[in-house]
Amino acid sequence: GVLNSLSIDGTGRLKLPVGNTSQRPVSPNLGDLRFNSEVGSIETYTADGWILLSAVANDALTFALMGLY
């Protein structure tokens, strides 16, 4: 079946798959998440390929500080 929603309550954690860049899935799906141990960041798979979420967060913070976001 398909899981439509997931709630994680409390103060626990969410364990993501971990691996280096060469260990990325061969056939990823849009929205896949993993921790890239080579670069030390969470990454997600998009239509443009794998992107680091830290890069997205840094860009958003930069834009916010510049008043552009």
Side-chain angles (χ1 to χ4, degrees):
V2 174
L3 179 64
N4 292 319
S5 175
L6 174 65
S7 290
I8 301 173
D9 297 324
T11 59
R13 65 182 178 145
L14 174 64
K15 178 72 172 153
L16 294 176
V18 177
N20 63 34
T21 302
S22 67
Q23 294 171 315
R24 287 174 172 162
V26 175
S27 299
N29 295 302
L30 292 176
D32 281 356
L33 289 172
R34 66 189 297 274
F35 183 83
N36 187 319
S37 59
E38 188 173 326
V39 297
S41 179
I42 296 172
E43 59 186 4
T44 187
Y45 190 74
T46 71
D48 295 323
W50 289 99
I51 62 167
L52 300 177
L53 294 185
S54 61
V56 172
N58 286 340
D59 285 348
L61 178 59
T62 298
F63 291 145
L65 291 174
M66 294 172 56
L68 300 174
Y69 186 73

